[in-house]
Amino acid sequence: MTAALEMVDVSKTFPLARRLTHPGRREVHAVSHVDLTLHRGKITAVIGESGSGKSTIARLMAQLYKPTSGQIKLDGKPVEVRNGRQLRKYVGDVQLILQDPFGSFNPVHTIEYALRRAVTIHHGKLPASELDARVGALLEEVRLTPPRQFTAKYPHELSGGQRQRISIARALAASPTVLLADEPVSMLDVSIRLGVLNLLERLVTERDLALLYITHDIASARYFASTASVMYAGELVEGGPAEAVTQKPAHPYTKLLIDSAPDPGKAPADRIKDNGQPPSLISPPTGCRFHPRCPFAMPRCSTEAPPRFDLGAGQWARCWLHSSSKE
Ligand code: ADP
Ligand code: MG
């Protein structure tokens, strides 16, 4: 199976302004040495707490940021976006869906205007009848029917769920092969999240899309994704089939994430205890970045960063507890 979009050993640091109190050069290590692959027809989840670097991954994949080091490949070829024309071609293939679609719609224009514009940007000027047909088909595809009930509306006249469907329709207007969904349902009412996730799942199958699903909700990743990676402090610490990662977690941090998700059926005594906070990304902990919080930390954990240990059946973890497994 060839990769649709791939990150190979990608890191991204953001420089910080020098201060009198910190005259040296300082930077935020937002994403460090990330390898991540998206496949056509598959949903790949990246799970992590706020501030762990998830949106930076989406923005790197969308070419909104340049990697500090490492490489991004589309259909096996290294991506080089140096000018506007190359960027337009790239966003025809790779589309980003944000958590809050409201911010990305111009409030003075109707839905029809926004969708016509998206179609025209990616497919050139079309006869009015064909443009209308395409806009109608997009609205039907995201189940906003009948389309004419929505075309004349303004973004503020729609519910959050409807707005997110419009932003999905706008992304589809480009006929992309890859969709990057950065916490696409976390701002929506719980009651409508499932509908939007089911829509994305159907589009992945029908259009054979590669979908990156970014979330802080590990339970939704299990339900929704085929493969999942867990992110901590800018690094991927575990990955594999979503079922294995969420049901048989191998990294203590993944266990902690699962234990801190609300589960009324579980006694508090069974849970990993943790009062810790994610570390500073300006001077991340040495060795394994999770070691200051880890209940199983050993001496080497604070000095040596663990490699990926292969646990079989596609699952892997960066944790010295698995050092008897294959590197
Ligand atoms: P998440 O989406 O998981 O909440 P982000 O990728 O937004 O995490 O951020 C990861 C880290 O990088 C955070 O510490 C954040 O403050 C920092 N960061 C993100 N974007 C920038 C930026 N443009 N400049 C400086 N720091 C940034
Ligand atoms: Mg984010």
Side-chain angles (χ1 to χ4, degrees):
M1 192 165 39
T2 53
L5 190 62
E6 206 176 346
M7 288 179 107
V8 186
D9 197 26
V10 168
S11 298
K12 178 71 186 169
T13 57
F14 296 105
L16 286 179
R18 288 166 202 255
R19 299 232 184 90
L20 277 179
T21 44
H22 298 89
R25 192 174 133 86
R26 293 194 312 157
E27 43 191 25
V28 181
H29 298 264
V31 162
S32 301
H33 302 290
V34 163
D35 293 302
L36 186 64
T37 307
L38 311 182
H39 293 285
R40 298 286 296 263
K42 295 255 180 275
I43 301 173
T44 303
V46 168
I47 308 156
E49 290 170 286
S50 168
S52 57
K54 304 183 298 298
S55 294
T56 304
I57 285 192
R59 286 165 163 261
L60 285 160
M61 282 190 156
Q63 295 293 320
L64 296 174
Y65 293 149
K66 285 233 166 304
T68 307
S69 63
Q71 199 169 53
I72 293 171
K73 293 185 188 172
L74 181 63
D75 293 324
K77 292 191 258 325
V79 176
E80 292 188 22
V81 170
R82 294 211 197 86
N83 55 41
R85 196 179 52 81
Q86 288 170 332
L87 183 63
R88 265 195 304 284
K89 183 164 180 314
Y90 188 81
V91 298
D93 275 323
V94 181
Q95 283 278 312
L96 181 61
I97 295 166
L98 301 171
Q99 189 175 29
D100 175 18
F102 202 45
S104 60
F105 283 105
N106 188 331
V108 307
H109 290 308
T110 61
I111 298 311
E112 180 168 46
Y113 178 94
L115 291 180
R116 278 184 171 175
R117 187 159 177 271
V119 172
T120 307
I121 287 175
H122 295 286
H123 301 284
K125 221 165 151 28
L126 299 170
S129 59
E130 177 161 4
L131 195 52
D132 285 345
R134 290 221 190 185
V135 167
L138 287 169
L139 286 166
E140 295 209 356
E141 206 176 347
V142 298
R143 299 294 189 261
L144 292 177
T145 51
R148 76 193 115 70
Q149 253 185 36
F150 295 90
T151 43
K153 292 230 160 81
Y154 289 87
H156 73 268
E157 294 178 292
L158 301 176
S159 71
Q162 289 170 340
R163 246 182 340 249
Q164 196 58 294
R165 284 171 191 263
I166 296 288
S167 76
I168 294 167
R170 187 175 55 180
L172 295 178
S175 313
T177 54
V178 180
L179 274 187
L180 309 170
D182 189 358
E183 306 211 43
V185 297
S186 41
M187 282 179 68
L188 304 180
D189 286 343
V190 175
S191 59
I192 56 171
R193 285 182 187 170
L194 197 57
V196 173
L197 290 181
N198 286 339
L199 165 65
L200 288 169
E201 190 172 38
R202 178 167 58 75
L203 293 172
V204 165
T205 310
E206 287 177 359
R207 288 189 172 235
D208 197 29
L209 295 170
L211 178 70
L212 174 67
Y213 172 59
I214 291 180
T215 183
H216 59 261
D217 174 17
I218 193 163
S220 75
R222 178 189 175 205
Y223 156 78
F224 186 53
S226 50
T227 55
S229 297
V230 176
M231 199 163 189
Y232 182 74
E235 295 178 329
L236 295 184
V237 295
E238 172 164 8
E243 178 78 18
V245 170
T246 55
Q247 297 305 104
K248 292 186 295 143
H251 196 287
Y253 176 63
T254 314
K255 292 188 181 131
L256 175 69
L257 268 187
I258 292 168
D259 285 350
S260 48
D263 179 357
K266 213 158 178 193
D270 297 340
R271 296 168 179 232
I272 290 193
K273 288 201 181 46
D274 177 66
N275 304 313
Q277 294 288 320
S280 155
L281 294 180
I282 299 170
S283 46
T286 53
C288 169
R289 291 185 180 177
F290 188 59
H291 86 262
R293 283 170 83 178
C294 183
F296 311 105
M298 303 172 279
R300 78 188 305 185
C301 300
S302 59
T303 54
E304 283 177 83
R308 280 189 181 206
F309 291 108
D310 182 1
L311 309 174
Q315 194 174 5
W316 58 267
R318 275 182 204 278
C319 174
W320 287 119
L321 290 174
H322 301 283
S323 61
S324 56
S325 310
K326 202 167 82 213
E327 245 185 63

